[in-house]
Amino acid sequence: MKRALIFILAALLLTSCGQTEEHSATVFAMDTVMELTAYGENGEAALEAAKTEIYRLDGLFDRRNEDGEIFALNKNGGGEVSDDTAGLLRRGEEIRALTGGAFDMTVAPVMDLWGFYGQDYRVPDGAELAAALEKVGGEVTVEGNTVTLGEGTLLDPGGIAKGWASARLMEIFREKGVTSGLVSLGGSVQALGSRPDGTPWRVAIQDPDGEGYAAVLSLTDTAAVTSGDYQRYFEQDGKIYHHIIDPSTGRPADSGLRSVTVVCRDGALADGLSTALFVMGRERALDLWRESGGFEAVFIDSDGGIAATAGLRGLIRSDKEIVFCE
Ligand code: AMP
Ligand code: MG
């Protein structure tokens, strides 16, 4: 009897270990370091499939890759693309419409001018900016798998590609039978299910001024994507120029924010919105939240103040005071 009990206990222990076994991988793609974690016995296979998918999507979406589809669209002013690229661009266009153009993949010529593309940084003069802005805001039509770009229009999907990829990785994890996992692609985090012990994932929001974190989110089955002025920037004559461009001015967005984190189920939407809300600033961002809903957000402003939308009550904590917005 006693031996049988020990046997059952040992078997239970083994299966529970099997279920919570952690598998992780680090990948460098899309210009950033990516950490992937999957739990359970299918974790390793899921990670292998996830890595293959990341490299494939990076190949398609990297506009420097001459074999990629974004490169080809930019070169030819349009063309036939895969379901992935068509889906990414359709999503990007929806977010452009939703945010009144604060998110706009056609900012590519301005990104190039500032040297963010290729890290050849410089501050352009007004005439150069005006010329580049002429090419921003053009038409991007996606009909089935056929894409047509307006005259001179160039695409930069960098503001949505990581979130799109993280959403795909969740699908792959599920297909492989993984029910608990987390991917962090640069500032773009997406969680599958909860932690193996059933508690929510804890996702830190970086302190824009330091190495530590400003707040921690408790999340289950959702994405949390941060756009911040500290993620990519250069300094010239004591001034910081960061990589989130206001498409209406062609200059780094100056909306009084240091970072915006968007929480929502759809990784691509979270990514596109994080970029857009950073451009829009807190008040316009809150107007959009009240009107359209479907996401929550955390704003860290230039003074270090933290504000969050009301839906995050109980899901965010910080050593600092958090102002909840209704
Ligand atoms: P994120 O880090 O997601 O906020 O995206 C920033 C990246 O998106 C930049 O490096 C550019 O490639 C691109 N980008 C910059 N400004 C915009 C904008 N206003 N709309 C769409 N994409 C942008
Ligand atoms: Mg983004």
Side-chain angles (χ1 to χ4, degrees), residues 40-84:
E41 55 184 351
N42 303 322
E44 209 53 48
L47 289 185
E48 279 313 308
K51 281 196 259 180
T52 305
E53 181 68 354
I54 288 173
Y55 292 129
R56 188 181 74 83
L57 293 177
D58 193 11
L60 288 177
F61 301 159
D62 179 356
R63 62 190 183 106
R64 282 166 294 191
N65 174 21
E66 298 189 9
D67 300 322
E69 293 191 332
I70 298 296
F71 183 94
L73 290 177
N74 284 342
K75 188 170 161 217
N76 305 321
E80 291 294 307
V81 294
S82 62
D83 289 347
D84 299 285

Side-chain angles (χ1 to χ4, degrees), residues 54-325:
I54 288 173
Y55 292 129
R56 188 181 74 83
L57 293 177
D58 193 11
L60 288 177
F61 301 159
D62 179 356
R63 62 190 183 106
R64 282 166 294 191
N65 174 21
E66 298 189 9
D67 300 322
E69 293 191 332
I70 298 296
F71 183 94
L73 290 177
N74 284 342
K75 188 170 161 217
N76 305 321
E80 291 294 307
V81 294
S82 62
D83 289 347
D84 299 285
T85 302
L88 174 90
L89 297 183
R90 217 174 278 124
R91 218 71 188 81
E93 285 302 288
E94 281 165 20
I95 299 170
R96 164 149 73 156
L98 180 69
T99 62
F103 179 85
D104 189 338
M105 296 176 292
T106 71
V107 291
V110 175
M111 289 304 290
D112 295 351
L113 194 57
W114 288 90
F116 283 108
Y117 178 68
Q119 299 184 6
D120 190 11
Y121 304 128
R122 56 188 284 272
V123 179
D125 65 34
E128 289 174 301
L129 263 183
L133 274 173
E134 292 274 305
K135 298 189 207 150
V136 175
E139 177 200 349
V140 180
T141 313
V142 189
E143 274 164 353
N145 292 63
T146 308
V147 179
T148 314
L149 301 183
E151 182 75 29
T153 299
L154 295 172
L155 296 171
D156 175 356
I160 188 179
K162 289 187 300 235
W164 174 270
S166 70
R168 263 300 289 145
L169 298 189
M170 296 299 102
E171 284 174 18
I172 289 176
F173 278 14
R174 273 192 213 102
E175 279 160 25
K176 295 286 178 190
V178 169
T179 53
S180 171
L182 190 78
V183 299
S184 174
L185 320 184
S188 175
V189 174
Q190 191 149 3
L192 178 64
S194 53
R195 292 200 290 191
D197 66 2
T199 59
W201 299 99
R202 293 154 65 77
V203 177
I205 299 176
Q206 196 177 323
D207 178 353
D209 279 321
E211 289 299 299
Y213 54 85
V216 178
L217 291 161
S218 295
L219 302 176
T220 303
D221 235 347
T222 196
V225 180
T226 301
S227 287
D229 64 2
Y230 54 87
Q231 290 170 332
R232 188 164 299 191
Y233 64 89
F234 67 97
E235 199 176 333
Q236 190 172 304
D237 301 327
K239 232 183 123 94
I240 300 283
Y241 299 93
H242 63 79
H243 71 139
I244 303 169
I245 298 293
D246 182 342
S248 67
T249 63
R251 298 176 187 280
D254 185 14
S255 61
L257 294 172
R258 298 296 314 276
S259 79
V260 178
T261 301
V262 173
V263 177
C264 80
R265 291 206 158 217
D266 177 346
L269 180 62
D271 194 356
L273 277 181
S274 73
T275 309
L277 301 193
F278 188 98
V279 171
M280 293 162 81
R282 197 171 97 183
E283 293 317 310
R284 275 179 67 203
L286 286 170
D287 287 342
L288 179 67
W289 171 72
R290 290 184 197 106
E291 280 159 25
S292 81
F295 68 91
E296 302 295 333
V298 184
F299 306 92
I300 302 184
D301 65 31
S302 312
D303 308 327
I306 305 176
T309 52
L312 290 175
R313 253 183 234 279
L315 300 176
I316 181 170
R317 61 174 187 75
S318 171
D319 294 339
K320 290 189 183 173
E321 188 202 351
I322 298 172
V323 176
F324 288 98
C325 307

